[in-house]
Amino acid sequence: MIISFVLDGEARTLEVDGGARAVDILRESCGVTAPKEGCGTGECGACTVLVDGVPRLSCLMLAAQLDGRAVITAQGLASDGPHPVQEALADLGGVQCGYCTPGIAVTAAEFLERHPDPTREEIREALSGNLCRCTGYHKIVDAVEDAAKRLGSGCGRDE
Amino acid sequence: MNVLFPATVEAALEALCAEPDAHVMAGGTDLLVRCRAEQNRPETLVCLEKVADLAGFEISDGRIRIGAATSMTAVLENAAVRERLPLLHGAAKVFASPLVRNMATLGGNVCTASPAADMLPPLYALGAEVELRSLSGVRTMPVNDFIVGPGQMALAPGELLSAIIIPIPEGRTIQYFEKVGRRKALAISVVSLAALLRVEDGVIAEARLAWGSVGPMVIRCPEAEALLKGRSLTLGALREAGEKVRDTVSPISDVRASAEYRRQVAANLLLRLAQISGAH
Ligand SMILES: Cc1cc2nc3c(=O)[nH]c(=O)nc-3n(C[C@H](O)[C@H](O)[C@H](O)COP(=O)(O)OP(=O)(O)OC[C@H]3O[C@@H](n4cnc5c(N)ncnc54)[C@H](O)[C@@H]3O)c2cc1C
Ligand code: FES
Ligand code: FES
């Protein structure tokens, strides 16, 4: 089937097998490798992308479900320079191998839009579906907390 | 594979009728994991995500009707659910992870009919009904009649689960859900308890208790419920009820826990009711 969607701000139309997974067509047909496949079963969150603004697991979505939607990956998040969350992750050591980072970045960016002034507990809950095998999470939580400040004080991106 | 996106319930039912082998997909969080594990790709999927009529909340006549394809995030965030059905809200809060909750639906959890499905014990304890729709009409039945075995439902061919209807408990009730898992997020429950107690003048007027993961299906324990009814809410009464539960449940041992551990936890979880109500 033919699907059309907007990927990181760019319109795409492609012919896909309706049963293909979203993560595969994003990475292989569209060449956007920000979403990573970790577990393939919904447990790690490395494949998270924003679909119409909502964080979703691209390993548990079909390509067909993307038709008519807008998808934002961690690459798109950084289209005008790194998003404050991405900057904070880099600055505060919330990234080690980086495999989990694209998923964490989009999950956290959307979370901060809804919760501009979160507690650490709320940050932990929001990221509970994003596993990281390297950082021990502490620095990731620090980074999201810091990104909230960057966004709040207006020294993030101007919209 | 052919994926259909009907926009109305009628169109979805017609698609199911035209293709008897088609599978229904709501959030896909069980279905797609299972297809992959079993290397089995259905010929046709009827995806419910664009059927607006199947999502959302309606409150009338003392009942909350939740569309089957309502996401777990929407259930968690709904104010009426939070205020009137804290039991359901409590289960939604510990359900999977925020990412899975954005995709998974309440109806999909019911139709998985797993003994470990977190939303089922609350629905049993609340006396929920399922609404089933086919091209020939609508019928309703209690959720405990709908689930007939592990993974099995009283769903006729060509029929969809269209809504879950929950009576709002009258008066003041204690509603409590607890899930014991191996960790906080994304853990399949080892034992869960959904409890609804109506306490009037210090006496338990009604007790409805349902456990998950301690048998092939969600289990209620009428003996324990009967034992609590008419008594005051004390630690002693809950301990006695726990003894009944321990004798009634028939858990299995698996990688997550032994049968004996599950039996013990099923009984112990009742004691929390004393804690939250301040009883001794
Ligand atoms: C990482 C992960 C963690 C999870 N954690 C939990 C957890 O903590 N607790 C828990 O209970 N579950 C958990 N689950 C399981 C799953 O997310 C839930 O059971 C979910 O509610 C299923 O809903 P769905 O909409 O995704 O169903 P789907 O996968 O779309 O469907 C499930 C089944 O129901 C059928 N179906 C769906 N909707 C209808 C309908 N309206 N009418 C008729 N048939 C229908 C489908 O054909 C399919 O057989 C988890 C899953 C994953 C991947
Ligand atoms: S790859 Fe999708 S959640 Fe792990
Ligand atoms: S930085 Fe390596 S998985 Fe998170």
Side-chain angles (χ1 to χ4, degrees):
Chain A
M1 64 184 287
I2 305 229
I3 61 169
S4 296
F5 63 108
V6 178
L7 176 57
D8 291 334
E10 196 186 316
R12 304 270 188 154
T13 297
L14 43 145
E15 164 125 49
V16 296
D17 178 333
R21 296 183 312 165
V23 65
D24 294 327
I25 68 113
L26 292 175
R27 291 177 56 84
E28 285 157 29
S29 313
C30 303
V32 172
T33 55
K36 306 283 183 254
E37 175 165 11
C39 62
T41 55
E43 298 187 38
C44 75
C47 64
T48 309
V49 296
L50 304 182
V51 179
D52 287 347
V54 179
R56 308 211 18 182
L57 301 164
S58 61
C59 73
L60 294 185
M61 283 187 83
L62 300 173
Q65 288 176 276
L66 299 181
D67 188 42
R69 310 259 202 179
V71 177
I72 293 182
T73 70
Q75 262 162 267
L77 209 57
S79 55
D80 311 327
H83 184 280
V85 161
Q86 291 168 315
E87 268 173 1
L89 282 165
D91 291 351
L92 277 76
V95 176
Q96 288 193 20
C97 79
Y99 203 81
C100 67
T101 311
I104 290 195
V106 292
T107 305
E110 191 270 346
F111 165 71
L112 288 175
E113 269 176 35
R114 285 181 295 118
H115 298 91
D117 188 20
T119 64
R120 286 181 78 82
E121 201 40 47
E122 286 167 342
I123 296 172
R124 286 189 178 276
E125 157 66 19
L127 291 177
S128 58
N130 295 82
L131 300 191
C132 171
R133 53 183 188 162
C134 310
T135 66
Y137 301 103
H138 210 83
K139 293 183 169 180
I140 294 175
V141 177
D142 290 346
V144 177
E145 213 173 15
D146 192 69
K149 293 200 192 93
R150 294 180 197 219
L151 283 159
S153 65
C155 60
R157 301 181 305 173
D158 33 24
E159 298 276 346
Chain B
M1 188 159 84
N2 191 13
V3 193
L4 306 175
F5 292 94
T8 63
V9 184
E10 285 66 36
L13 294 171
E14 273 158 23
L16 285 179
C17 219
E19 304 243 10
D21 291 333
H23 282 236
V24 172
M25 173 166 119
T29 60
D30 274 314
L31 186 76
L32 296 179
V33 172
R34 207 166 57 226
C35 288
R36 200 165 152 82
E38 293 165 8
Q39 299 275 323
N40 147 31
R41 278 169 55 132
E43 228 12 63
T44 305
L45 283 184
V46 177
C47 179
L48 303 181
E49 72 179 17
K50 301 220 160 96
V51 188
D53 285 357
L54 284 179
F57 304 80
E58 262 171 46
I59 301 171
S60 62
D61 301 335
R63 303 172 337 156
I64 298 184
R65 180 181 183 279
I66 307 178
T70 304
S71 77
M72 290 302 306
T73 298
V75 172
L76 180 65
E77 290 176 353
N78 185 267
V81 169
R82 187 175 60 236
E83 282 152 27
R84 313 302 297 277
L85 307 173
L87 191 45
L88 201 69
H89 177 79
K93 220 159 131 177
V94 294
F95 184 97
S97 68
L99 298 171
V100 175
R101 291 198 291 265
N102 285 346
M103 306 170 73
T105 67
L106 182 59
N109 196 241
V110 171
C111 289
T112 301
S114 153
D118 281 329
M119 305 316 284
L120 283 177
L123 294 177
Y124 276 56
L126 288 161
E129 293 202 327
V130 292
E131 179 193 278
L132 308 172
R133 199 172 279 267
S134 69
L135 284 179
S136 44
V138 188
R139 59 183 183 133
T140 57
M141 68 171 81
V143 68
N144 50 303
D145 291 341
F146 179 60
I147 309 239
V148 295
Q152 289 174 323
M153 292 148 285
L155 194 67
E159 210 169 31
L160 269 181
L161 170 63
S162 45
I164 292 107
I165 298 169
I166 307 171
I168 298 171
E170 282 169 33
R172 267 201 55 219
T173 52
I174 297 174
Q175 296 187 33
Y176 185 67
F177 180 83
E178 182 158 347
K179 158 172 160 179
V180 176
R182 294 190 59 179
R183 63 187 174 101
K184 244 173 118 181
L186 288 169
I188 296 178
S189 78
V190 164
V191 180
S192 62
L193 166 66
L196 190 151
L197 297 184
R198 189 193 333 281
V199 184
E200 287 165 6
D201 302 326
V203 173
I204 301 171
E206 192 183 1
R208 302 171 68 95
L209 308 167
W211 283 265
S213 296
V214 288
M217 291 190 274
V218 170
I219 289 170
R220 278 184 69 180
C221 182
E223 293 86 352
E225 293 175 351
L227 191 145
L228 288 174
K229 205 170 157 182
R231 297 184 56 175
S232 43
L233 178 56
T234 60
L235 205 50
L238 292 167
R239 275 218 184 88
E240 278 178 53
E243 288 305 311
K244 297 272 181 215
V245 173
R246 201 205 266 276
D247 298 340
T248 309
V249 299
S250 53
I252 53 158
S253 295
D254 65 13
V255 292
R256 288 189 293 280
S258 70
E260 191 40 44
Y261 175 80
R262 287 193 158 102
R263 225 180 257 287
Q264 184 70 48
V265 174
N268 289 355
L269 280 178
L270 275 181
L271 304 181
R272 288 264 209 270
L273 292 168
Q275 224 172 19
I276 60 166
S277 64
H280 305 284

